[in-house]
Amino acid sequence: MSGRFVRASKYPSPDGVDLQANPLYISVNWESSGGGAFAVIPLEERGRIPEHVPLFRGHTAPVLDTDWSPFNDSLIASGSDDGKVFIWTVPEGFSLQTEEEEPEDISPVKKFTGHSRKVGHVLFNPAAENILASSSGDFTIKLWDVETGASPLVLRHTDIVQSLSWSANGALLVTTCRDKKLRVWDVRQQTPVQEVNGHQGAKNSRVVWMGEHDRLATTGFSKMSDRQLGLWDIRAPIEPLGGFQVLDSISGVCMPFWDEGTQCLYLAGKGDGNIRYFEYTNDKFEFLSEYKSADPQRGLAFLPKRGINVHENEVMRAFKTINDSYIEPISFIVPRRAEVFQTDIYPPTTGSKAGVSSAEWLSGKEALPPKIDLESVYAGEEAIEVPLSTKTPASQPAPSAPSVIAKKEPLPVVSEPVHRSTPPNVKDQASSIASIADKYADKSDPTRDQDDEKDYSFDQPANKTENVIPKTVHKNEPILPAVILPPAKTASPPQSGYSPIKESPPYTNRGPSEPIESSLKEIKSLLEAQSRTMTDQTDQISRLTAEVDTLKTRVSESASNREKDERIRQLELELEQSRSS
């Protein structure tokens, strides 16, 4: 059994995503004989893979979409052109490196039937456990209870659904449709609570719910085929806030991805080589920068926040398929010289525990899933849950524009397997703390320390976070080619509600304080003398003013007294001189 890593099929994934990722595995569609199949690749197995690998096989037609359960890293759902939805479980200790010439395929643990045409999307509920949505060419979205296999809820559309996205609490579902409508559904009532006109272009549009905000981000096309970005308020979605923002005139469908932690929106076009990222602030999207590559992506997937490397200040990690031959991981990193956990870029994030069960959700209950503190992951401990009240406020923007590190991993070629070290996880991240401390250990002489203090500064404004210039770096490894690209354009510094980390400057001995105290005493004596002079002048002015008023009264009684007139003029002159001095 052999096949290509990412199949080049006449049945491409309708959402343009040929792969999905979680902290343990990547799933990719696979070209093979005998029906539809997809492969699961453990993240720690990098480099070249064997020619024969175990596949997840069971569909009778090409697999169109897959999705990992947010609360079980070994549970995955698939939708196929055969109109069926299958549930799979990754075996414990699963690996592509087997000694068998013909590895045994994995079969589904559950099969759901009910759609009359192909299933284009499958998407797990982000808050309720074992609730799965599937969209089909029969113009319906079915809600499945994975535990029982029942489909008690159906959302009926007037045309093919092009994309769908859940709200953070799993109560609402937003969809875009080929009829150019944007709909927000109350899923358990099976009715749309909002229905408005979306992008009016002939090509597909996409939508993503912006985490715990009551906002939606859509991408699509205008009637003139310009790619557009829209920001919507679900409470009054008559039209996008500020109108549609024109991106460019490229023909590829633009896929949006939302990061709740940094409040950033990532846009990747199918067939493009670039990934743009925007900051959500002041109810609008501010462009930060973009990752640039000459290799176009056929599909793209982002890793959940609990799977990133917090020791390297990684805020997001993406995987993209290139030329149907290999997957390229792309890390978005905030460059900082810091030896401690960065709380401003790592707020509490969603963990692996559901907010409600499937039965509770179907009965009408809703709740956000518990959040975990990434600082416990940084320390190499088990993830600690935090109260929902300590979550990051929804209005806080991203702290800075991240750098991008891309690693190319060619796949597959028949050769000896190559192993690389696994990425840090909850258990083994503790072992890297000591190496990080040694990395920044003070082994230089005092002269060099002073030069370093001039070159680097960690002080930042209290209400703003410095926006670092993003750059693209390809790291050199035995199998991975290395290319250094020029830095991208500097993005305007975003406003941030996070408190930036500050480091106090090193202590320096400033010598005895006697000269400073003597100078302060001299200044104090001069101020006191000046104060006395001003008081005397004020008293003199008051005395002269009273005398002038007295003489003016006498003059009015005896206007012919010239001496008094002269005296008055003389006093007035003295008064003017006193005021001018």
Side-chain angles (χ1 to χ4, degrees), residues 342-354:
Q342 305 293 291
T343 56
D344 61 328
I345 61 176
Y346 293 123
T349 190
T350 302
S352 56
K353 183 178 179 181

Side-chain angles (χ1 to χ4, degrees), residues 22 72 108 119 124 153 224 251 253 321 362 420 425 433 439 475 498 581:
N22 71 10
N72 184 349
V119 177
F124 276 100
L153 304 173
M224 302 301 293
S251 59
V253 175
T321 59
L362 289 171
R420 292 182 54 203
N425 54 34
I433 299 177
K439 180 179 177 181
K475 291 189 176 179
Y498 297 106
S581 62

Side-chain angles (χ1 to χ4, degrees), residues 21-26 41-47 303-304 306-312 314 317 319 329 331 377 407 409 419-432 475 477:
N22 71 10
L24 297 181
Y25 306 103
I26 299 175
I41 303 174
L43 284 184
E44 66 268 16
E45 297 185 13
R46 303 189 178 190
L303 197 66
R306 55 190 172 89
I308 60 176
N309 188 347
V310 294
H311 285 156
E312 298 294 334
E314 181 183 50
R317 189 190 308 170
F319 298 91
S331 292
V377 178
K407 301 179 182 178
E409 301 180 7
H419 299 275
R420 292 182 54 203
S421 59
T422 62
N425 54 34
V426 173
K427 294 183 179 180
D428 61 15
Q429 286 202 47
S431 61
S432 63
K475 291 189 176 179
E477 297 181 1

